[in-house]
Amino acid sequence: MKILMLVQRVNIEEKLKNATDSNYQIGIVIGSFIPFVVLLALAYWMYTSAKKRDKDL
């Protein structure tokens, strides 16, 4: 399990430094924020569904 986490570790600063152009930099930034946005959307969906369930009871 630890080996997998070491392989997945990505140094974003190094990628930005070695970027070929600004479009690649924008793609790296957007790609690094996508997991957080997905988790935020999932948390919001869970919150609203729990709130509706409490209201129905």
Side-chain angles (χ1 to χ4, degrees):
M1 184 75 139
K2 288 184 180 185
I3 295 172
L4 182 63
M5 291 187 71
L6 290 175
V7 172
Q8 291 180 345
R9 184 176 289 168
V10 178
N11 191 354
I12 295 174
E13 293 86 15
E14 182 179 327
K15 281 189 169 187
L16 288 175
K17 190 184 304 181
N18 297 332
T20 56
D21 59 356
S22 63
N23 292 330
Y24 186 74
Q25 290 177 347
I26 292 170
I28 291 172
V29 171
I30 290 172
S32 65
F33 284 118
I34 285 177
F36 299 112
V37 171
V38 170
L39 287 175
L40 183 70
L42 180 65
Y44 180 74
W45 174 75
M46 289 173 64
Y47 172 75
T48 55
S49 64
K51 192 173 181 181
K52 286 180 185 177
R53 194 175 314 129
D54 282 344
K55 191 175 182 181
D56 291 341
L57 294 176

